[in-house]
Amino acid sequence: MFLGITILILCQSCFSYKAMENDPLKMETGKTYKIERNQKYYKVVFHNVEGNTILVSENFVDKPIPINDITDIKKRKFSIVKTVSLPMSVIAGLVGLFVLSYN
């Protein structure tokens, strides 16, 4: 039971973030990224590079970020493992509860 709850907490999303080169020129327009700036990560949607800044949206608010302030970039990737494990763990938990309550 505890294992099932732990898996549910860990698998909150069907996406994970993978490290990539710290090069904003390799970012794709319209894709979601986590950008580290001032030792804090921000989830943003990339729009464009203009000079020494990148234009992103965070919580539907457009804002520029200086490229030299960025210390790490992570790209959002679809995770088949998280997508499959979440419903399977829910089903296993429900079956476990049914078996426990039946006895």
Side-chain angles (χ1 to χ4, degrees), residues 45-86:
V45 176
F46 175 75
H47 293 296
N48 195 10
V49 176
E50 287 188 2
N52 292 330
T53 62
I54 62 170
L55 301 175
V56 297
S57 294
E58 182 184 17
N59 298 325
F60 303 105
V61 177
D62 294 341
K63 66 181 191 176
I65 297 177
I67 290 175
N68 57 356
D69 285 357
I70 299 171
T71 55
D72 190 27
I73 300 173
K74 295 184 180 198
K75 184 177 182 179
R76 186 170 85 163
K77 293 270 193 172
F78 180 75
S79 174
I80 191 73
V81 173
K82 286 185 176 183
T83 304
V84 171
S85 66
L86 181 62

